[in-house]
Amino acid sequence: MISLAPTTKPTARPGTGRSNRCGPVVAAGRVASEAPRTRRTRGATPVAVQSAARQLASPSSAAAILAIALDASAVQPSFASSEELFTRTCAGCHAAGGNIVQAGATLFPADLTRNGVNDADAVYDIIYGGKGKMPGYGEGCAPKGQCTFGARLSDEDVRGLAGYVLEIGRA
């Protein structure tokens, strides 16, 4: 690795009374005694950037951004099928029916039965309100720490997911 820092070369052994420096050394196309050149960026000037930042930080803009964020979390996505909903919402942890977060909580029939989740209502309750490390996805899920931070699912979507989970568990 090449150092771009100014350097000097010793001319004699220390203690001989001679100067230890030879004069400026050229590094990176400039004499070491020169100040580094500043680089001008393309695009907006610093004043324009500061002005835009002030506008975004204004109370009215902050309130508008917050309102959009809160409204976006309440928007219900529309899914063509329970399979698509499962793929987008659940497959990240439950790919191929497994569970990458908690080994004993897979969607395989043996694990569902062992965990007391062998009917659609029990699966619905877990999807809606969450359990253990799995967050709840229902609209009325509480407490907040147990629920997903993303969009909540309608009761119809949660029922569809419960049926789909039992269906893929049997396959």
Side-chain angles (χ1 to χ4, degrees):
M1 186 168 133
I2 299 173
S3 172
L4 297 179
T7 58
T8 59
K9 296 180 182 178
T11 56
R13 290 184 161 178
T16 61
R18 294 188 197 169
S19 170
N20 251 3
R21 300 189 180 261
C22 293
V25 176
V26 175
R30 64 180 172 83
V31 176
S33 60
E34 288 180 8
R37 295 183 187 130
T38 58
R39 185 174 168 181
R40 181 146 181 108
T41 59
R42 295 181 188 178
T45 64
V47 173
V49 171
Q50 287 175 349
S51 174
R54 278 191 207 106
Q55 288 174 354
L56 285 175
S58 71
S60 61
S61 293
I65 292 169
L66 181 61
I68 290 169
L70 291 175
D71 190 43
S73 68
V75 172
Q76 299 298 317
S78 96
F79 297 97
S81 67
S82 294
E83 181 179 5
E84 181 186 351
L85 180 59
F86 180 86
T87 301
R88 291 180 183 228
T89 309
C90 311
C93 295
H94 293 287
N99 189 330
I100 64 168
V101 178
Q102 191 171 349
T106 68
L107 305 180
F108 301 123
D111 283 339
L112 290 173
T113 303
R114 187 183 72 246
N115 293 324
V117 186
N118 47 6
D119 66 348
D121 289 334
V123 175
Y124 171 89
D125 289 342
I126 291 176
I127 295 170
Y128 192 90
K131 181 178 180 183
K133 294 178 182 177
M134 182 177 157
Y137 288 88
E139 289 174 321
C141 179
K144 282 187 174 184
Q146 181 61 41
C147 307
T148 182
F149 292 106
R152 302 293 177 85
L153 303 175
S154 68
D155 285 342
E156 182 180 312
D157 285 340
V158 174
R159 286 259 175 237
L161 267 179
Y164 182 75
V165 166
L166 291 174
E167 181 183 314
I168 63 171
R170 289 185 210 117

